[in-house]
Amino acid sequence: MSESPRSPQWWRQAAIYQVYLRSFADGDGDGIGDLAGVRSRLSYLADLGVDAIWFTPWYPSPMDDGGYDVADFRDIEPTFGTLADAEQVLAEARALGLKVIIDIVPNHCSDTHRWFSAALEAGPGSPERERFWFRDGRGPDGAEPPNNWRSRFGGSAWTRVVEPDGSPGQWYLHLYSSRQPDLNWESQEVRAEFEDILRFWFDRGVDGFRIDVADGLVKDPALPDVEPGDETPFSDQEGVHEIYRAWRRIARSYPAERLLVGEMWLPDLRRSARYLREDEMHAAFNFDFLVCPWDVARFREVIDRTLESHDEVGAPPSWVLSNHDVTRPVTRYGRSGDTGFSFADRLHGTPVDRELGTRRARAAALLAMALPGGVYLYQGEELGLWEIEDIPGELRQDPVWERSDHADPGRDGCRVPMPWSGAAPPFGFSPDNAEKEPWLPQPAEWASHTASAQAADPGSVLSLYRSGLRLRKQAQGELRWLDQPPGVLAFRRGTFACLLNFSAEPVALPEHREVLLTSAPLADGQLPTDTAAWLRLPA
Ligand code: NOJ
């Protein structure tokens, strides 16, 4: 079946809201977000004005990596609810006009997945081990890892197992935590299994998948050591593309078009755009935009590069300011030094001017929402939440914290449960009579940042997002840069224009018929520093 006749291609300009389930809303009072909580907040998402929701993994999981360690790809984590609850969420979302995308994690599974237990039991050389990357170690007793690859969470990417007879045995590869063994995509069985999993969820009505570590599935089977500057033999291998061609064929076989969105952190946008060729994925996250420091030339350059690289393959660009892995934008843009983001140095603890960060995050939101293509929002971004940097070590849950020997605080600071209402924690995240506190502590200062406090305030970040999501539909057509004074980013799309003033001085607005929206009040009709405006230009 072809996509075009019935397909409105909604994803080409969609606003997609990321729900990090554990931290969104807790329906049953155990301090952990769940599907009952989601159901109670679906109307909030519909009112916000997003087109789709992306759920981070909802599968059964020991939660070593927040659910990215999946024990069973065809069921729901009991703490979150049941398969019936998930089907209910899908139906209720659909009734509100919201599409639903779910996370699929094909690079690895949990060490509690039945396949991994079977591999441990079956021993070296077995077909069960072929589904993973088991290798003998180096050195006289095989006591050294098979190669020098590092886990992205710190430490070696290899862990040694004890064989069924009790002897020290082979090693298995894990690019993330040791509880997330990498699957071997050379295995036809692995491929067939995931194709079946896609169908399982498409059959239940999901509108698409967000593909975790999408560039990482295929490894150079020689598993060579890597030296600094080498190409990475575990990322962006040519063979990975045929996996997505097969997945696209499956997506196409369904009557209403289903979406594939890739998570690729690659150094070159043109490389990620190759995953968006017409027979592969539909869209990808634009992390170059996310990591861009607060600088007019850098933003202009990233936008141009994004548009060009996506144009070449005919795919819609995307604009992302945050997600559950990165420092929240209010904190990033408010840092006294580098205002970009990098996993290598999260700049944890660098002084932050939160007011400045908020001002810039508001302006960035209008920029992201005005650009051509899709926009991804991460829960709490629409409330202007900031990174919580002072979570006590003993409460931190991200495996990065332990695996880095506490050198890297990890990602818990952007995963603190949402403040919905009320004057004190749990801020409506859990019911009033909840047995347990939220799984990560919320700061008292969030009293002023709850969704209900902001809903009534026309000047709030929430109100800005609501207006922005409604008005962005007026931005249609190609982007054309406008001539503006240095330090100002300005473009038009038809008669809709967006300006962002990065310079230290207020600037005059170009001739316009109407001011549609601004991220901060104008000053005597001028656009102040770190402020964005949307205008209707004369025809
Ligand atoms: C990317 C996910 O966004 C992140 O949270 C996770 O830890 C890794 N992939 C591994 O699955």
Side-chain angles (χ1 to χ4, degrees), residues 65 68 105 108 153 176 180 210 212-213 263 324-325 411 415:
D65 182 21
Y68 285 91
V105 189
H108 44 263
F153 289 167
Y176 295 88
Q180 294 167 292
R210 176 264 188 194
D212 190 61
V213 199
E263 187 223 17
H324 64 294
D325 292 329
R411 302 161 293 177
R415 298 175 175 181

Side-chain angles (χ1 to χ4, degrees), residues 18 20 54 56-57 65-69 103 105 107-108 152-153 175-177 180 210-214 263 265 287 323-325 343 398-400 411 415:
Q18 179 188 356
Y20 189 72
W54 147 35
T56 49
D65 182 21
Y68 285 91
D69 46 322
D103 229 299
V105 189
N107 183 67
H108 44 263
R152 295 201 170 114
F153 289 167
L175 290 180
Y176 295 88
S177 96
Q180 294 167 292
R210 176 264 188 194
I211 307 166
D212 190 61
V213 199
E263 187 223 17
W265 283 91
F287 295 125
N323 66 30
H324 64 294
D325 292 329
F343 285 108
D398 186 354
V400 169
R411 302 161 293 177
R415 298 175 175 181

Side-chain angles (χ1 to χ4, degrees), residues 172-428:
Y172 66 89
L173 176 68
H174 51 88
L175 290 180
Y176 295 88
S177 96
S178 57
R179 303 209 51 195
Q180 294 167 292
D182 274 51
L183 289 158
N184 172 12
W185 279 80
E186 304 296 313
S187 153
Q188 290 310 316
E189 212 187 337
V190 168
R191 290 183 187 230
E193 172 73 355
F194 274 90
E195 293 181 7
D196 194 66
I197 293 165
L198 296 183
R199 290 197 185 90
F200 177 90
W201 291 105
F202 281 150
D203 289 343
R204 275 161 188 75
V206 307
D207 296 288
F209 288 95
R210 176 264 188 194
I211 307 166
D212 190 61
V213 199
D215 58 287
L217 278 43
V218 172
K219 279 89 181 165
D220 176 344
L223 306 178
D225 277 338
V226 276
E227 303 309 330
D230 279 2
E231 303 260 310
T232 42
F234 41 78
S235 161
D236 199 27
Q237 301 288 295
E238 201 50 36
V240 81
H241 294 280
E242 92 187 42
I243 297 171
Y244 302 121
R245 289 193 195 103
W247 288 20
R248 183 67 174 252
R249 287 195 290 275
I250 295 172
R252 274 201 180 115
S253 71
Y254 283 81
E257 184 169 27
R258 311 299 168 104
L259 180 64
L260 303 174
V261 188
E263 187 223 17
M264 286 88 67
W265 283 91
L266 296 176
D268 179 351
L269 257 175
R270 274 168 313 184
R271 295 297 300 183
S272 358
R274 294 179 76 243
Y275 291 71
L276 309 185
R277 290 174 292 193
E278 64 167 355
D279 57 349
E280 298 188 46
M281 302 175 192
H282 299 77
F285 298 98
N286 182 355
F287 295 125
D288 286 32
F289 186 72
L290 185 155
V291 302
C292 187
W294 195 253
D295 175 89
V296 65
R298 301 283 290 272
F299 266 101
R300 165 119 190 202
E301 197 263 327
V302 171
I303 294 168
D304 275 333
R305 201 151 30 88
T306 303
L307 295 176
E308 270 163 36
S309 55
H310 286 68
D311 228 29
E312 275 168 27
V313 290
S318 79
W319 312 99
V320 187
L321 291 172
S322 63
N323 66 30
H324 64 294
D325 292 329
V326 306
T327 308
R328 289 221 180 243
V330 165
T331 302
R332 280 189 339 249
Y333 297 145
R335 292 244 195 253
S336 53
D338 184 356
T339 48
F341 174 80
S342 107
F343 285 108
D345 187 355
R346 262 180 252 263
L347 302 170
H348 191 83
T350 326
V352 175
D353 177 342
R354 211 183 282 152
E355 204 178 312
L356 176 69
T358 304
R359 184 180 183 87
R360 290 173 171 175
R362 292 174 62 110
L366 290 200
L367 173 63
M369 287 192 268
L371 287 163
V375 63
Y376 292 84
L377 278 56
Y378 170 50
Q379 68 184 43
E381 180 185 325
E382 82 282 18
L383 302 179
L385 301 186
W386 55 91
E387 187 80 3
I388 305 304
E389 298 200 277
D390 59 358
I391 300 172
E394 65 279 10
L395 296 182
R396 290 199 174 270
Q397 309 231 354
D398 186 354
V400 169
W401 168 245
E402 288 302 333
R403 289 192 66 90
S404 70
D405 291 327
H406 302 181
D408 184 335
R411 302 161 293 177
D412 292 318
C414 63
R415 298 175 175 181
V416 173
M418 284 277 280
W420 291 100
S421 58
F427 294 121

